[in-house]
Amino acid sequence: MFENHKFIAFETIVIREIRRFSRIWLQTLVPPAITIGLYFVIFGNLVGRRIGEMDGFQYMEFIVPGLIMMAVIQNSYSNVVSSFFSHKFQRSVEELLVSPIPNYVILMGFVVGGMARGLAVGAIVTTMSLFFADLSIQSFPITIAVVLMTSVVFSLAGFINAVFADSFDDISIIPTFVLTPLIYLGGVFYSIQMLPPFWQVVSSLNPIFYMVNTFRYGILGSSDIDVYWAFMIMGVFILVLYISCIWLLRHGTGIRN
Amino acid sequence: MTIAISIKDLDKTYANGVEALKGVSLEVQQGDFFALLGPNGAGKSTIIGVISTLINKSGGSVEVFGRSVDTHIYETKLDLGVVPQEINFSQFEKVKDIVLTQAGYYGLPRKLARERCEKYLKKLGLWEKRSERSRSLSGGMKRRLMIARALVHEPRLLILDEPTAGVDIELRRSMWNFLTEINADGTTIILTTHYLEEAEQMCRNIAIIDEGEIIENTSMKKLIGELDSQVYILDTANEMNGKPEITIDDVLIHRIDAHSLEVKVPNGQLINEVFKELDKQGLEISSMRNKTNRLEQLFLSRLRNNGND
């Protein structure tokens, strides 16, 4: 397949993915905006006023980066897992497998689709946060890089979940029992410095903790961790997940016979 | 002549231990209209799945226009259009989007994709439905949409896995005409079907598969020529009081009712002779048809010979 043909195929997958989540915007874009809006009102505004400061920032300012990142993580993941599983369920994945598109182009198409939804919801949540807090971004490059890399990590993870899923239950187990606890324990609502040493070590094993803190560093200029180390961790995750996805596609796990 | 598809010693054993294909070898010439027949579970869809790379084979080789599907993945896929047995497009997308998306998968530029989309949706009578969601289409329309989708990149080889299942007779005949037309234009077609009349009418060559093995691979003409007799149902315009007497050698006659006869005519005997005899007895024949499809008789006899009841 020529390079321009590959690009057309990639573009086709991305456009179809964006069209899919835009068509069902009441299910894909509105609910996360409402949920995160409620976090802003309840935790940031009502409870946050009583908490006062966290790491030298108003509590509302402190949680805004974490909540934006939470929206990006959940939506990147759920877009790819639900879309690819729907293709499997409706057997329309066969259209893709019969076509001459290389596996990496199929994967990139779905990942960029997941990123598009993650970033769209992230943008909505960021706009909403402006009603509750004054955001001044300290480092644009770090902020943009971490949000893009996080989105890639969770799009790839969603793809793996979809490949192994056999039912709609299987696509909600990981987000409910793994992703949500990791996000909540990843320093969205508190600083790791508040934890006893043992739990600080446990938290350092949570990859989402690095993503949230690096993003917070990009916006507020303050973080519990070394951001370069965090970028390296995200890079390793992307590499390992990408290789796993390509291996699964090549072997047809969950999608061929 | 170029060989469109060459299958050698193809084996497939599924994870549950089912041996779906046992050393299948088959060749289909370029430009052919080829029928692949067999009872349910015989291995037809598995062969199609292996050719289209949806099923990983256990052994053997498959070549499409001289290129291996294992080593020339992209080239062979470009030559191939597949219409699967089950509906496999998104039920929530619009008709034209399904075809345009498929065109995109094959790298067709947008302008060309739109032209091809219009061309095939019009040819298959779906242009008026182009902006409707696919789930609102009837069963026959969905099947035609799958054909339009498979043709949008204009493959040299089109494989259809029971394309007319559940389609009413009028639509089925219009699909036959369309497939005959694209075959005449040079597209090689491999067809699996349960309608043996369909295979007999359209296909030039045939393979019969049973329990994962090819038990017959010949030309349709040769196969039909193997019939030793044919059974006809004759309807009479006037009422018969009893069974008419026929004195032609080996022709057997059976009265079904006052207006119908079953006549078994061996090969070499002319049905005209039967008409003459009946005419002498004052019986006027108003219509005539084969009792069973000719291919069906052969198909069933081959399966019986292969140990099926």
Side-chain angles (χ1 to χ4, degrees):
Chain A
M1 204 176 190
F2 297 117
E3 292 307 313
N4 61 331
H5 290 176
K6 285 180 192 167
F7 182 75
I8 291 170
F10 165 74
E11 190 186 34
T12 302
I13 299 171
V14 174
I15 289 172
R16 195 202 52 207
E17 286 302 293
I18 293 173
R19 208 167 50 209
R20 189 193 75 88
F21 76 72
S22 305
R23 188 176 65 230
I24 49 171
W25 58 276
L26 266 172
Q27 294 169 46
T28 53
L29 302 178
V30 175
I34 291 174
T35 309
I36 304 287
L38 289 170
Y39 279 122
F40 283 140
V41 173
I42 296 165
F43 289 100
N45 213 1
L46 302 177
V47 180
R49 254 185 270 167
R50 291 168 198 271
I51 291 173
E53 287 194 349
M54 179 88 60
D55 267 3
F57 297 95
Q58 285 298 311
Y59 188 64
M60 176 64 95
E61 284 179 306
F62 180 84
I63 65 166
V64 162
L67 290 175
I68 294 171
M69 207 45 132
M70 184 160 98
V72 171
I73 290 170
Q74 287 177 331
N75 285 279
S76 301
Y77 189 93
S78 62
N79 194 72
V80 179
V81 73
S82 58
S83 175
F84 195 74
F85 181 71
S86 299
H87 281 289
K88 273 176 63 174
F89 186 75
Q90 297 184 80
R91 302 184 68 157
S92 52
V93 71
E94 290 175 4
E95 295 175 298
L96 275 169
L97 301 176
V98 167
S99 74
I101 313 177
N103 289 333
Y104 75 90
V105 175
I106 294 176
L107 180 61
M108 280 169 57
F110 277 94
V111 167
V112 172
M115 289 172 73
R117 177 165 152 197
L119 297 179
V121 175
I124 292 169
V125 171
T126 306
T127 308
M128 284 171 66
S129 72
L130 296 175
F131 292 101
F132 298 94
D134 291 325
L135 281 186
S136 54
I137 296 173
Q138 301 300 312
S139 168
F140 266 105
I142 289 178
T143 306
I144 300 296
V146 71
V147 85
L148 290 177
M149 288 176 82
T150 303
S151 180
V152 172
V153 168
F154 286 96
S155 295
L156 289 166
F159 191 88
I160 293 175
N161 187 171
V163 163
F164 285 107
D166 283 326
S167 67
F168 282 98
D169 286 341
D170 294 342
I171 64 170
S172 61
I173 286 173
I174 300 290
T176 308
F177 295 105
V178 180
L179 214 52
T180 305
L182 285 179
I183 293 169
Y184 280 31
L185 299 171
V188 172
F189 297 103
Y190 57 85
S191 165
I192 194 174
Q193 308 302 336
M194 293 169 64
L195 299 175
F198 173 76
W199 290 108
Q200 286 190 23
V201 174
V202 173
S203 291
S204 69
L205 300 174
N206 178 358
I208 293 176
F209 165 73
Y210 296 92
M211 297 164 190
V212 168
N213 270 281
T214 310
F215 189 62
R216 184 173 286 136
Y217 178 82
I219 291 181
L220 302 178
S222 162
S223 168
D224 290 338
I225 46 117
D226 177 351
V227 290
Y228 298 105
W229 177 236
F231 275 115
M232 201 178 291
I233 289 173
M234 283 187 275
V236 169
F237 264 94
I238 289 173
L239 192 66
V240 171
L241 290 169
Y242 176 82
I243 291 168
S244 306
C245 288
I246 292 293
W247 190 90
L248 290 169
L249 276 171
R250 189 171 294 159
H251 286 79
T253 310
I255 45 178
R256 293 184 203 268
N257 54 282
Chain B
M1 194 172 219
T2 312
I3 293 167
I5 201 146
S6 169
I7 298 171
K8 282 186 188 134
D9 306 320
L10 191 62
D11 292 317
K12 173 63 192 175
T13 305
Y14 285 102
N16 59 7
V18 172
E19 254 190 292
L21 300 176
K22 301 166 192 167
V24 167
S25 294
L26 203 61
E27 276 188 358
V28 177
Q29 302 290 328
Q30 183 173 13
D32 199 358
F33 204 135
F34 190 92
L36 182 60
L37 303 184
N40 285 337
K44 306 182 296 288
S45 297
T46 303
I47 291 181
I48 292 174
V50 171
I51 296 169
S52 57
T53 72
L54 285 174
I55 294 175
N56 297 327
K57 60 184 162 54
S58 308
S61 65
V62 178
E63 288 183 359
V64 176
F65 293 103
R67 288 183 290 217
S68 165
V69 295
D70 299 321
T71 53
H72 294 77
I73 300 166
Y74 307 124
E75 295 89 341
T76 52
K77 284 181 170 184
L78 278 174
D79 278 332
L80 207 60
V82 181
V83 181
Q85 201 176 115
E86 289 178 41
I87 306 295
N88 72 344
F89 47 71
S90 167
Q91 301 287 313
F92 305 103
E93 287 187 43
K94 289 179 184 168
V95 168
K96 67 168 190 245
D97 289 338
I98 288 169
V99 181
L100 287 173
T101 299
Q102 182 81 354
Y105 291 164
Y106 285 82
L108 266 63
R110 204 74 181 155
K111 186 170 176 287
L112 179 61
R114 283 204 195 94
E115 286 169 11
R116 295 262 185 92
C117 175
E118 185 175 344
K119 175 181 167 185
Y120 287 106
L121 286 182
K122 278 184 175 166
K123 278 194 170 190
L124 285 148
L126 291 168
W127 183 241
E128 301 305 316
K129 302 278 181 186
R130 64 189 179 280
S131 298
E132 289 189 18
R133 301 231 179 267
S134 62
R135 68 176 166 207
S136 70
L137 299 181
S138 67
M141 286 175 180
K142 285 177 180 169
R143 297 235 163 247
R144 281 182 283 154
L145 175 55
M146 292 210 293
I147 296 177
R149 187 186 63 178
L151 286 170
V152 75
H153 64 286
E154 300 196 333
R156 289 200 283 170
L157 172 63
L158 181 66
I159 301 178
L160 302 113
D161 196 359
E162 299 187 22
T164 52
V167 173
D168 68 47
I169 187 66
E170 194 185 342
L171 272 176
R172 204 185 308 159
R173 284 186 190 280
S174 77
M175 274 165 75
W176 293 358
N177 291 338
F178 175 72
L179 293 173
T180 307
E181 192 185 306
I182 60 166
N183 177 245
D185 289 344
T187 307
T188 309
I189 297 179
I190 298 176
L191 173 83
T192 80
T193 178
H194 273 133
Y195 300 107
L196 300 182
E197 179 198 1
E198 186 167 280
E200 185 182 341
Q201 188 151 335
M202 293 195 291
C203 300
R204 286 188 285 281
N205 291 295
I206 180 171
I208 298 176
I209 181 169
D210 187 32
E211 294 176 356
E213 289 174 293
I214 299 290
I215 56 171
E216 184 68 77
N217 185 4
T218 184
S219 73
M220 189 67 75
K221 205 171 172 181
K222 200 172 162 191
L223 188 66
I224 297 292
E226 286 181 25
L227 277 172
D228 57 359
S229 65
Q230 295 201 45
V231 181
Y232 300 99
I233 303 292
L234 307 181
D235 295 320
T236 59
N238 41 351
E239 197 170 311
M240 291 178 287
N241 293 322
K243 183 179 155 187
E245 292 301 321
I246 298 279
T247 54
I248 308 167
D249 285 347
D250 299 326
V251 172
L252 299 174
I253 196 157
H254 165 69
R255 180 177 178 272
I256 299 168
D257 57 37
H259 283 280
S260 309
L261 287 170
E262 183 180 308
V263 183
K264 187 175 180 185
V265 183
N267 275 356
Q269 291 285 7
L270 293 175
I271 187 77
N272 270 352
E273 297 300 319
V274 178
F275 287 161
K276 280 180 197 164
E277 289 260 341
L278 294 172
D279 190 46
K280 279 182 203 165
Q281 294 171 47
L283 287 173
E284 192 185 334
I285 304 302
S286 59
S287 67
M288 177 186 90
R289 62 186 183 278
N290 272 95
K291 185 187 178 189
T292 52
N293 173 261
R294 295 181 301 170
L295 183 57
E296 195 171 307
Q297 288 178 41
L298 287 161
F299 177 71
L300 292 172
S301 83
R302 290 296 187 279
L303 293 185
R304 273 195 294 272
N305 292 342
N306 199 43
N308 289 283
D309 292 328

